[in-house]
Amino acid sequence: ILNMQIIKVILLFLSLKLLAQNNTDLKKGGAFSLFYENSWQERFEKLKPHWHYSWNWELRENYPDGIEFVPMIWGRGSATQSKIDYLNNLASIGKIENVLLFNEPDLVGQSNMSVNEVVNLWPLIETLNIPISSPATSAPLNDWMKDFMEKASNQNLRVDFVAIHIYHKNDSDKFIELIKEVFQTYGKPIWITEFAVRDTNATENNPNIYSESHVISFMQDVLDEIHDLDYVKRYSWFDPNANNEKYPMLQTADIINENNQLTTLGEYYASYNPNNNLSNHKKKINEITIYPNPSKNLIYIDTDSSSLKASIFDLNGRILMKKIIKTQMNISGLKQGVYFIELSTEIHKTTHKLIVKK
């Protein structure tokens, strides 16, 4: 009997450990812009992130399966009623779960917005029906960020989590100390949407002082720590573009090169908390084609699949049509307007915008 009790305790302990591990499963992300859109699938399969953002608000057609897309309202130009409506529509059909906001508004070269401008836009932002981030400043405890968070608190503005960038803590202990200080200061869940080891003095003629071994050691220590911090919900290592003039500053932090080959650092990032669903959702970018689009009465679907489940949604997320199809679908019953059509097999799923013209 005693042995059985011990076994039960051990099994309970293991189940709790697995549960705790599952709670961290979605933490690791990837950040790749529209510049890399044609290689998103390959990069995701190699780095195995659970979520991705592109510094853009739009869910692109044929977006890869098996990974969460997180849109971003990058600056004032994206903070419009039409884009808020678009994102709420995506949320209503389960395509997005979170939204990131305003990329480095404290910097002239980025979204370049004053605190008051952002605060004035916030009533519109708050109409999003899913969790929203704070603006992501170039440093999480700078004056801009503190001023915004104070005004948000005083005016009872909704900020569901804090998005932060960290490039100025190249020692793992100091990095974690800063994370803890951010949480103590703002008291909000944290997404680390950009971080890496950077030598601000490095140029083509002045080599980066941080060796690859130093950066690997940094990554190992930091990832272990932030996975144990419950209030750190997501993180995404920043991968530099080798064609950028500032690349030497981040050269040893590169995780995947311009030919989509993993570096040694990238191999470690890929192995840590991997998203293994990506290999089960492999999909070519142009696997499914719908034509004509716009259409009036009939659409054709070009695919290798023998049959597809097709669902058509209006902009409010309501299902208007749902059927099994092979190569074509009659849409004569739809009024003129813009719709979403979701096509799926047992392992593939893709959403397209469909325009009906009468």
Side-chain angles (χ1 to χ4, degrees):
I1 295 175
L2 181 60
N3 287 339
M4 286 298 296
Q5 289 176 335
I6 293 173
I7 291 172
K8 287 181 179 178
V9 170
I10 293 173
L11 290 174
L12 177 61
F13 174 77
L14 290 175
S15 66
L16 290 173
K17 290 288 284 184
L18 287 173
L19 180 61
Q21 186 179 35
N22 288 338
N23 287 337
T24 68
D25 276 351
L26 296 178
K27 285 194 176 186
K28 186 178 80 174
F32 297 107
S33 70
L34 295 180
F35 177 82
Y36 294 102
E37 182 177 5
N38 290 335
S39 63
W40 279 351
Q41 181 75 46
E42 183 176 0
R43 286 174 171 241
F44 295 164
E45 288 176 5
K46 289 185 174 180
L47 288 166
K48 305 184 189 315
H50 294 274
W51 65 280
H52 160 254
Y53 76 100
S54 61
W55 291 274
N56 188 263
W57 53 273
E58 184 181 15
L59 177 61
R60 309 290 279 188
E61 288 191 2
N62 295 304
Y63 188 78
D65 286 332
I67 185 169
E68 178 191 349
F69 170 66
V70 180
M72 173 186 281
I73 295 176
W74 187 86
R76 63 178 66 85
S78 303
T80 64
Q81 186 66 61
S82 62
K83 291 180 175 59
I84 296 294
D85 291 343
Y86 171 83
L87 294 176
N88 275 332
N89 289 330
L90 289 182
S92 71
I93 59 175
K95 293 299 181 183
I96 60 172
E97 300 177 4
N98 304 278
V99 177
L100 297 170
L101 294 164
F102 302 127
N103 190 72
E104 297 185 345
D106 55 312
L107 296 184
V108 172
Q110 295 297 316
S111 62
N112 188 25
M113 303 169 72
S114 70
V115 171
N116 287 336
E117 181 181 6
V118 172
V119 167
N120 289 337
L121 285 170
W122 215 257
L124 173 63
I125 298 299
E126 286 183 315
T127 62
L128 286 163
N129 297 324
I130 50 179
I132 55 178
S133 78
S134 70
T137 51
S138 60
L141 294 174
N142 65 14
D143 291 341
W144 196 105
M145 185 65 166
K146 287 182 177 179
D147 187 18
F148 170 81
M149 292 300 288
E150 182 179 358
K151 288 181 177 177
S153 177
N154 292 340
Q155 299 180 35
N156 198 28
L157 304 180
R158 176 165 67 94
V159 177
D160 298 304
F161 58 95
V162 173
I164 65 174
H165 297 171
I166 304 178
Y167 293 100
H168 59 297
K169 299 294 182 182
N170 297 322
D171 173 88
S172 58
D173 289 337
K174 292 180 180 178
F175 184 97
I176 296 302
E177 286 174 8
L178 177 59
I179 297 296
K180 293 178 179 179
E181 186 179 358
V182 170
F183 182 68
Q184 291 168 358
T185 301
Y186 303 132
K188 301 277 186 181
I190 294 172
W191 286 35
I192 312 169
T193 51
E194 290 184 28
F195 74 110
V197 173
R198 178 172 66 183
D199 175 7
T200 56
N201 295 316
T203 64
E204 289 186 4
N205 299 319
N206 186 31
N208 194 304
I209 64 171
Y210 298 106
S211 65
E212 291 181 3
S213 61
H214 171 85
V215 181
I216 290 175
S217 178
F218 173 91
M219 178 182 281
Q220 290 171 336
D221 292 342
V222 164
L223 295 191
D224 284 344
E225 289 281 350
I226 59 180
H227 267 271
D228 287 339
L229 295 175
D230 290 338
Y231 51 81
V232 177
K233 302 301 181 183
R234 304 286 181 94
Y235 65 84
S236 179
W237 186 267
F238 180 82
D239 181 67
N241 183 329
N243 297 315
N244 189 297
E245 61 180 7
K246 295 182 179 180
Y247 178 70
M249 298 182 185
L250 291 160
Q251 186 168 356
T252 53
D254 207 344
I255 55 176
I256 186 167
N257 66 26
E258 301 309 304
N259 295 317
N260 299 325
Q261 300 301 310
L262 294 180
T263 64
T264 302
L265 184 68
E267 289 174 356
Y268 181 80
Y269 194 69
S271 70
Y272 200 97
N273 182 222
N275 177 1
N276 293 317
N277 289 328
L278 286 162
S279 60
N280 296 324
H281 291 80
K282 190 174 290 188
K283 181 176 68 176
K284 295 180 181 178
I285 292 296
N286 297 317
E287 183 179 355
I288 296 176
T289 303
I290 298 174
Y291 64 94
N293 191 7
S295 183
K296 182 178 181 181
N297 296 314
L298 192 67
I299 56 173
Y300 295 89
I301 293 89
D302 183 12
T303 176
D304 293 334
S305 301
S306 58
S307 66
L308 293 167
K309 293 180 181 179
S311 301
I312 294 181
F313 302 83
D314 66 13
L315 294 181
N316 293 317
R318 293 175 298 188
I319 298 179
L320 303 180
M321 299 178 66
K322 194 172 186 178
K323 58 176 62 178
I324 303 295
I325 63 173
K326 290 186 177 180
T327 59
Q328 63 185 43
M329 186 173 185
N330 189 324
I331 59 168
S332 59
L334 295 177
K335 297 178 181 179
Q336 179 166 307
V338 179
Y339 302 87
F340 289 106
I341 178 169
E342 181 181 274
L343 302 170
S344 60
T345 65
E346 290 183 357
I347 60 173
H348 296 159
K349 183 182 292 184
T350 181
T351 301
H352 301 256
K353 183 165 66 175
L354 175 64
I355 300 174
V356 176
K357 286 189 175 181
K358 298 294 187 180

PDB file of all heavy atoms in Angstrom, residues 288-307:
ATOM      1  N   ILE A 288      -2.797  26.486 -52.485  1.00  0.00           N
ATOM      2  CA  ILE A 288      -4.200  26.645 -52.847  1.00  0.00           C
ATOM      3  C   ILE A 288      -4.395  27.984 -53.541  1.00  0.00           C
ATOM      4  O   ILE A 288      -3.987  29.018 -53.033  1.00  0.00           O
ATOM      5  CB  ILE A 288      -5.104  26.559 -51.606  1.00  0.00           C
ATOM      6  CG1 ILE A 288      -5.004  25.160 -50.969  1.00  0.00           C
ATOM      7  CG2 ILE A 288      -6.551  26.860 -51.952  1.00  0.00           C
ATOM      8  CD1 ILE A 288      -5.783  25.018 -49.696  1.00  0.00           C
ATOM      9  N   THR A 289      -5.031  27.941 -54.707  1.00  0.00           N
ATOM     10  CA  THR A 289      -5.330  29.158 -55.457  1.00  0.00           C
ATOM     11  C   THR A 289      -6.829  29.221 -55.730  1.00  0.00           C
ATOM     12  O   THR A 289      -7.442  28.217 -56.096  1.00  0.00           O
ATOM     13  CB  THR A 289      -4.571  29.177 -56.803  1.00  0.00           C
ATOM     14  OG1 THR A 289      -3.173  29.057 -56.537  1.00  0.00           O
ATOM     15  CG2 THR A 289      -4.839  30.475 -57.547  1.00  0.00           C
ATOM     16  N   ILE A 290      -7.421  30.404 -55.524  1.00  0.00           N
ATOM     17  CA  ILE A 290      -8.842  30.623 -55.779  1.00  0.00           C
ATOM     18  C   ILE A 290      -8.980  31.598 -56.951  1.00  0.00           C
ATOM     19  O   ILE A 290      -8.327  32.643 -56.963  1.00  0.00           O
ATOM     20  CB  ILE A 290      -9.547  31.196 -54.534  1.00  0.00           C
ATOM     21  CG1 ILE A 290      -9.450  30.215 -53.374  1.00  0.00           C
ATOM     22  CG2 ILE A 290     -11.013  31.514 -54.830  1.00  0.00           C
ATOM     23  CD1 ILE A 290      -9.993  30.766 -52.075  1.00  0.00           C
ATOM     24  N   TYR A 291      -9.822  31.265 -57.917  1.00  0.00           N
ATOM     25  CA  TYR A 291     -10.021  32.150 -59.064  1.00  0.00           C
ATOM     26  C   TYR A 291     -11.412  31.918 -59.656  1.00  0.00           C
ATOM     27  O   TYR A 291     -11.988  30.829 -59.478  1.00  0.00           O
ATOM     28  CB  TYR A 291      -8.932  31.920 -60.125  1.00  0.00           C
ATOM     29  CG  TYR A 291      -8.948  30.532 -60.737  1.00  0.00           C
ATOM     30  CD1 TYR A 291      -9.637  30.270 -61.945  1.00  0.00           C
ATOM     31  CD2 TYR A 291      -8.299  29.472 -60.113  1.00  0.00           C
ATOM     32  CE1 TYR A 291      -9.670  29.013 -62.499  1.00  0.00           C
ATOM     33  CE2 TYR A 291      -8.323  28.206 -60.669  1.00  0.00           C
ATOM     34  CZ  TYR A 291      -9.006  27.972 -61.858  1.00  0.00           C
ATOM     35  OH  TYR A 291      -9.036  26.721 -62.411  1.00  0.00           O
ATOM     36  N   PRO A 292     -12.028  32.865 -60.325  1.00  0.00           N
ATOM     37  CA  PRO A 292     -11.614  34.279 -60.344  1.00  0.00           C
ATOM     38  C   PRO A 292     -11.918  34.935 -59.002  1.00  0.00           C
ATOM     39  O   PRO A 292     -12.822  34.505 -58.282  1.00  0.00           O
ATOM     40  CB  PRO A 292     -12.487  34.868 -61.453  1.00  0.00           C
ATOM     41  CG  PRO A 292     -13.729  34.035 -61.434  1.00  0.00           C
ATOM     42  CD  PRO A 292     -13.284  32.651 -61.087  1.00  0.00           C
ATOM     43  N   ASN A 293     -11.205  35.944 -58.688  1.00  0.00           N
ATOM     44  CA  ASN A 293     -11.416  36.683 -57.436  1.00  0.00           C
ATOM     45  C   ASN A 293     -11.019  38.136 -57.680  1.00  0.00           C
ATOM     46  O   ASN A 293      -9.819  38.404 -57.813  1.00  0.00           O
ATOM     47  CB  ASN A 293     -10.570  36.086 -56.313  1.00  0.00           C
ATOM     48  CG  ASN A 293     -10.948  36.621 -54.955  1.00  0.00           C
ATOM     49  OD1 ASN A 293     -11.914  37.347 -54.804  1.00  0.00           O
ATOM     50  ND2 ASN A 293     -10.157  36.272 -53.946  1.00  0.00           N
ATOM     51  N   PRO A 294     -11.974  39.040 -57.862  1.00  0.00           N
ATOM     52  CA  PRO A 294     -13.406  38.976 -57.562  1.00  0.00           C
ATOM     53  C   PRO A 294     -14.155  38.003 -58.476  1.00  0.00           C
ATOM     54  O   PRO A 294     -13.736  37.711 -59.580  1.00  0.00           O
ATOM     55  CB  PRO A 294     -13.889  40.408 -57.801  1.00  0.00           C
ATOM     56  CG  PRO A 294     -12.645  41.245 -57.730  1.00  0.00           C
ATOM     57  CD  PRO A 294     -11.561  40.388 -58.270  1.00  0.00           C
ATOM     58  N   SER A 295     -15.322  37.532 -57.956  1.00  0.00           N
ATOM     59  CA  SER A 295     -16.165  36.609 -58.694  1.00  0.00           C
ATOM     60  C   SER A 295     -17.630  36.983 -58.517  1.00  0.00           C
ATOM     61  O   SER A 295     -17.983  37.756 -57.616  1.00  0.00           O
ATOM     62  CB  SER A 295     -15.921  35.179 -58.210  1.00  0.00           C
ATOM     63  OG  SER A 295     -16.685  34.258 -58.971  1.00  0.00           O
ATOM     64  N   LYS A 296     -18.492  36.402 -59.371  1.00  0.00           N
ATOM     65  CA  LYS A 296     -19.924  36.696 -59.312  1.00  0.00           C
ATOM     66  C   LYS A 296     -20.727  35.503 -58.828  1.00  0.00           C
ATOM     67  O   LYS A 296     -21.507  35.608 -57.885  1.00  0.00           O
ATOM     68  CB  LYS A 296     -20.417  37.138 -60.691  1.00  0.00           C
ATOM     69  CG  LYS A 296     -21.887  37.514 -60.749  1.00  0.00           C
ATOM     70  CD  LYS A 296     -22.253  37.995 -62.156  1.00  0.00           C
ATOM     71  CE  LYS A 296     -23.729  38.390 -62.201  1.00  0.00           C
ATOM     72  NZ  LYS A 296     -24.124  38.839 -63.569  1.00  0.00           N
ATOM     73  N   ASN A 297     -20.553  34.344 -59.482  1.00  0.00           N
ATOM     74  CA  ASN A 297     -21.395  33.187 -59.169  1.00  0.00           C
ATOM     75  C   ASN A 297     -20.618  31.924 -58.803  1.00  0.00           C
ATOM     76  O   ASN A 297     -21.088  31.120 -58.013  1.00  0.00           O
ATOM     77  CB  ASN A 297     -22.307  32.867 -60.364  1.00  0.00           C
ATOM     78  CG  ASN A 297     -23.280  33.984 -60.658  1.00  0.00           C
ATOM     79  OD1 ASN A 297     -23.904  34.519 -59.750  1.00  0.00           O
ATOM     80  ND2 ASN A 297     -23.406  34.333 -61.934  1.00  0.00           N
ATOM     81  N   LEU A 298     -19.417  31.765 -59.371  1.00  0.00           N
ATOM     82  CA  LEU A 298     -18.700  30.500 -59.212  1.00  0.00           C
ATOM     83  C   LEU A 298     -17.214  30.768 -59.019  1.00  0.00           C
ATOM     84  O   LEU A 298     -16.631  31.592 -59.724  1.00  0.00           O
ATOM     85  CB  LEU A 298     -18.913  29.626 -60.458  1.00  0.00           C
ATOM     86  CG  LEU A 298     -18.489  28.162 -60.381  1.00  0.00           C
ATOM     87  CD1 LEU A 298     -19.368  27.406 -59.391  1.00  0.00           C
ATOM     88  CD2 LEU A 298     -18.591  27.516 -61.765  1.00  0.00           C
ATOM     89  N   ILE A 299     -16.605  30.086 -58.055  1.00  0.00           N
ATOM     90  CA  ILE A 299     -15.158  30.160 -57.875  1.00  0.00           C
ATOM     91  C   ILE A 299     -14.556  28.777 -58.058  1.00  0.00           C
ATOM     92  O   ILE A 299     -15.199  27.751 -57.793  1.00  0.00           O
ATOM     93  CB  ILE A 299     -14.759  30.722 -56.489  1.00  0.00           C
ATOM     94  CG1 ILE A 299     -15.389  29.911 -55.354  1.00  0.00           C
ATOM     95  CG2 ILE A 299     -15.104  32.189 -56.383  1.00  0.00           C
ATOM     96  CD1 ILE A 299     -14.890  30.312 -53.979  1.00  0.00           C
ATOM     97  N   TYR A 300     -13.327  28.740 -58.542  1.00  0.00           N
ATOM     98  CA  TYR A 300     -12.599  27.484 -58.729  1.00  0.00           C
ATOM     99  C   TYR A 300     -11.423  27.451 -57.757  1.00  0.00           C
ATOM    100  O   TYR A 300     -10.798  28.478 -57.482  1.00  0.00           O
ATOM    101  CB  TYR A 300     -12.104  27.378 -60.168  1.00  0.00           C
ATOM    102  CG  TYR A 300     -13.228  27.296 -61.177  1.00  0.00           C
ATOM    103  CD1 TYR A 300     -13.760  28.463 -61.724  1.00  0.00           C
ATOM    104  CD2 TYR A 300     -13.758  26.068 -61.559  1.00  0.00           C
ATOM    105  CE1 TYR A 300     -14.801  28.395 -62.648  1.00  0.00           C
ATOM    106  CE2 TYR A 300     -14.795  25.999 -62.476  1.00  0.00           C
ATOM    107  CZ  TYR A 300     -15.318  27.165 -63.016  1.00  0.00           C
ATOM    108  OH  TYR A 300     -16.350  27.100 -63.921  1.00  0.00           O
ATOM    109  N   ILE A 301     -11.127  26.270 -57.271  1.00  0.00           N
ATOM    110  CA  ILE A 301     -10.051  26.084 -56.303  1.00  0.00           C
ATOM    111  C   ILE A 301      -9.022  25.152 -56.916  1.00  0.00           C
ATOM    112  O   ILE A 301      -9.327  23.996 -57.254  1.00  0.00           O
ATOM    113  CB  ILE A 301     -10.559  25.523 -54.959  1.00  0.00           C
ATOM    114  CG1 ILE A 301     -11.454  26.555 -54.252  1.00  0.00           C
ATOM    115  CG2 ILE A 301      -9.401  25.171 -54.055  1.00  0.00           C
ATOM    116  CD1 ILE A 301     -12.899  26.474 -54.604  1.00  0.00           C
ATOM    117  N   ASP A 302      -7.824  25.646 -57.077  1.00  0.00           N
ATOM    118  CA  ASP A 302      -6.724  24.862 -57.637  1.00  0.00           C
ATOM    119  C   ASP A 302      -5.901  24.305 -56.487  1.00  0.00           C
ATOM    120  O   ASP A 302      -5.198  25.035 -55.790  1.00  0.00           O
ATOM    121  CB  ASP A 302      -5.874  25.747 -58.547  1.00  0.00           C
ATOM    122  CG  ASP A 302      -4.747  24.971 -59.212  1.00  0.00           C
ATOM    123  OD1 ASP A 302      -4.767  23.729 -59.143  1.00  0.00           O
ATOM    124  OD2 ASP A 302      -3.850  25.611 -59.794  1.00  0.00           O
ATOM    125  N   THR A 303      -5.989  23.000 -56.275  1.00  0.00           N
ATOM    126  CA  THR A 303      -5.282  22.369 -55.162  1.00  0.00           C
ATOM    127  C   THR A 303      -5.019  20.913 -55.492  1.00  0.00           C
ATOM    128  O   THR A 303      -5.696  20.321 -56.344  1.00  0.00           O
ATOM    129  CB  THR A 303      -6.103  22.464 -53.861  1.00  0.00           C
ATOM    130  OG1 THR A 303      -5.428  21.759 -52.809  1.00  0.00           O
ATOM    131  CG2 THR A 303      -7.495  21.875 -54.038  1.00  0.00           C
ATOM    132  N   ASP A 304      -4.039  20.323 -54.801  1.00  0.00           N
ATOM    133  CA  ASP A 304      -3.748  18.904 -54.979  1.00  0.00           C
ATOM    134  C   ASP A 304      -4.672  18.021 -54.137  1.00  0.00           C
ATOM    135  O   ASP A 304      -4.691  16.805 -54.308  1.00  0.00           O
ATOM    136  CB  ASP A 304      -2.299  18.607 -54.582  1.00  0.00           C
ATOM    137  CG  ASP A 304      -1.307  19.264 -55.537  1.00  0.00           C
ATOM    138  OD1 ASP A 304      -1.684  19.491 -56.698  1.00  0.00           O
ATOM    139  OD2 ASP A 304      -0.176  19.563 -55.109  1.00  0.00           O
ATOM    140  N   SER A 305      -5.428  18.611 -53.224  1.00  0.00           N
ATOM    141  CA  SER A 305      -6.291  17.847 -52.323  1.00  0.00           C
ATOM    142  C   SER A 305      -7.508  17.309 -53.067  1.00  0.00           C
ATOM    143  O   SER A 305      -8.060  17.971 -53.959  1.00  0.00           O
ATOM    144  CB  SER A 305      -6.751  18.717 -51.158  1.00  0.00           C
ATOM    145  OG  SER A 305      -5.648  19.215 -50.440  1.00  0.00           O
ATOM    146  N   SER A 306      -7.945  16.101 -52.689  1.00  0.00           N
ATOM    147  CA  SER A 306      -9.110  15.501 -53.339  1.00  0.00           C
ATOM    148  C   SER A 306     -10.400  16.161 -52.899  1.00  0.00           C
ATOM    149  O   SER A 306     -11.382  16.185 -53.649  1.00  0.00           O
ATOM    150  CB  SER A 306      -9.163  13.995 -53.023  1.00  0.00           C
ATOM    151  OG  SER A 306      -9.220  13.789 -51.608  1.00  0.00           O
ATOM    152  N   SER A 307     -10.436  16.690 -51.674  1.00  0.00           N
ATOM    153  CA  SER A 307     -11.613  17.407 -51.192  1.00  0.00           C
ATOM    154  C   SER A 307     -11.203  18.396 -50.116  1.00  0.00           C
ATOM    155  O   SER A 307     -10.170  18.226 -49.459  1.00  0.00           O
ATOM    156  CB  SER A 307     -12.667  16.431 -50.650  1.00  0.00           C
ATOM    157  OG  SER A 307     -12.189  15.770 -49.492  1.00  0.00           O
TER     158      SER A 307
END
